């Protein structure tokens, strides 16, 4: 199969997932069209061909599941036995059912899996966990993953004849629970540049009081923290300190990326 165009769709609140899937896509050395589905569901369907198109999808694992916004957005991508590579990114705890849920979403909309990856990145809530990941060794493994995926594609004549790829995870998927930890804003540091309000995926920050967080809307993705030029936002409080201590202790052992390929 001759791949001519790469379509890259990613949900990436803190930009780690974007970095990872861009690195994978770059190894194919083909034209890339990006779809950032972090904040908005595409208004129109994105239909891809079975001959010449490759979709690469990347999402973070939120409590072991595909983020709800990402799941809604990905239903806009329609294939016709179109090859797809899926990637889930997690912060060294576990990706649980994220990869299998992502597989189910893309397969239900006409795509055929070529390969899949579960990759570690710095945790978005507890940044001392997997700090510095993905590192140089991770990137080398991603390059090998892309090369092997490309080699598999080159040997396929018809995607319709490709067997289904199995990945780790369970059905039914694990129940999701709201995370009781939310970023706090510093009123004294806030300059009302509104970067956080404009880029919050769920509209949990108002333009009038950007130093506050609507906890009922907040999904604890950490985007407001990484986009604030004044470093005026952070996770904090006694509950966070206690949770941080336990999480850092429980998940200090570095995990390694996992890769899956169709046979």
């Amino acid at each position: 199969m001759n791949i001519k165009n790469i379509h890259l769709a990613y949900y990436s609140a803190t930009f780690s997932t974007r970095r990872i899937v861009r690195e994978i896509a770059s190894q194919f050395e083909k034209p890339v069209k990006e779809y950032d589905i972090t904040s908005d569901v595409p208004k129109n369907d994105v239909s891809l061909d079975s001959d010449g198109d490759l979709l690469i999808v990347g999402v973070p694992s939120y409590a072991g599941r595909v983020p709800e916004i990402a799941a809604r957005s990905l239903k806009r991508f329609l294939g016709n036995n179109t090859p797809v590579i899926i990637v889930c990114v997690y912060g060294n705890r576990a990706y649980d059912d994220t990869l299998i849920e992502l597989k189910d979403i893309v397969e239900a909309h006409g795509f055929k899996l070529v390969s899949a990856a579960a990759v570690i990145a710095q945790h978005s809530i507890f940044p001392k966990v997997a700090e510095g990941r993905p590192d140089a060794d991770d990137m080398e493994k991603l390059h090998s993953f892309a090369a092997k995926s490309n080699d598999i594609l080159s040997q396929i004549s018809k995607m319709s004849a490709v067997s289904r790829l199995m990945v780790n995870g369970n059905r039914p998927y694990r129940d999701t629970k709201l995370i009781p930890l939310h970023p706090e804003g510093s009123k004294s540091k806030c300059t009302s540049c509104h970067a956080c309000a404009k880029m919050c995926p769920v509209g949990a920050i108002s333009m009038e009081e950007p130093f506050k967080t609507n906890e009922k809307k907040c999904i604890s993705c950490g985007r407001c923290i990484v986009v604030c030029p004044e470093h005026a936002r952070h996770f904090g409080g006694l509950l966070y300190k206690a949770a941080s201590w336990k999480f850092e202790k429980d998940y200090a052992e570095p995990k390694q990326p996992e890769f899956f390929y169709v046979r």
Side-chain angles (χ1 to χ4, degrees):
M1 177 168 285
N2 182 26
I3 298 301
K4 300 174 184 176
N5 301 292
I6 307 292
H7 296 264
L8 191 60
Y10 53 82
Y11 179 102
S12 187
T14 58
F15 309 113
S16 294
T17 300
R18 183 181 72 177
R19 178 189 172 199
I20 288 167
V21 293
R22 279 181 172 178
E23 192 69 26
I24 294 170
S26 70
Q27 302 305 299
F28 286 84
E29 299 182 342
K30 301 292 183 181
V32 177
K33 183 172 183 179
E34 293 193 10
Y35 305 86
D36 185 346
I37 58 173
T38 311
S39 299
D40 299 310
V41 175
K43 295 180 180 178
N44 301 308
D45 289 341
V46 180
S47 297
L48 303 183
D49 295 330
S50 59
D51 183 21
D53 285 336
L54 169 65
L55 177 64
I56 302 176
V57 179
V59 302
S61 178
Y62 280 7
R65 294 284 302 277
V66 173
E68 184 180 349
I69 300 173
R72 292 202 309 268
S73 295
L74 289 172
K75 292 175 183 178
R76 285 290 197 179
F77 290 80
L78 306 177
N80 180 21
N81 286 317
T82 308
V84 62
I85 295 172
I86 60 173
V87 182
C88 81
V89 179
Y90 70 105
N92 204 59
R93 183 191 68 81
Y95 58 90
D96 297 306
D97 303 329
T98 309
L99 203 57
I100 197 168
E101 183 181 10
L102 184 55
K103 162 188 155 71
D104 290 346
I105 292 170
V106 297
E107 285 185 339
H109 291 83
F111 294 92
K112 295 290 291 283
L113 263 69
V114 174
S115 57
V119 185
I120 297 86
Q122 183 175 27
H123 201 280
S124 58
I125 299 177
F126 306 109
K128 289 184 180 180
V129 176
E131 189 173 12
R133 305 284 298 274
D135 54 23
D137 184 54
D138 292 322
M139 286 301 182
E140 185 176 338
K141 290 176 180 176
L142 286 175
H143 294 168
S144 297
F145 168 70
K148 185 169 181 178
S149 300
N150 194 18
D151 184 57
I152 290 171
L153 278 165
S154 69
Q155 298 177 45
I156 295 173
S157 56
K158 287 186 178 181
M159 285 302 301
S160 59
V162 174
S163 59
R164 297 186 72 183
L165 174 63
M166 298 294 104
V167 300
N168 291 341
N170 298 291
R171 303 186 189 92
Y173 315 130
R174 62 179 288 157
D175 291 334
T176 57
K177 296 180 180 179
L178 293 176
I179 298 173
L181 303 171
H182 307 283
E184 302 173 348
S186 170
K187 188 175 182 180
S188 60
K189 289 184 178 181
C190 179
T191 60
S192 294
C193 72
H194 299 117
C196 58
K198 292 175 182 176
M199 298 188 72
C200 175
V202 293
I205 304 169
S206 71
M207 298 292 281
E208 293 74 26
E209 296 180 302
F211 47 86
K212 292 185 177 181
T213 303
N214 184 330
E215 295 186 357
K216 292 183 179 179
K217 290 184 177 181
C218 179
I219 57 173
S220 308
C221 69
R223 169 163 276 204
C224 61
I225 296 174
V226 300
V227 302
C228 178
E230 303 300 326
H231 306 289
R233 286 189 150 265
H234 62 279
F235 285 100
L238 292 177
L239 178 60
Y240 175 75
K241 288 181 180 179
S244 180
W245 179 86
K246 186 176 188 310
F247 199 91
E248 289 169 11
K249 179 182 177 182
D250 290 347
Y251 304 109
E253 184 70 24
K255 295 187 176 180
Q256 297 304 314
E258 295 178 39
F259 303 107
F260 307 84
Y261 304 93
V262 73
R263 295 183 179 180

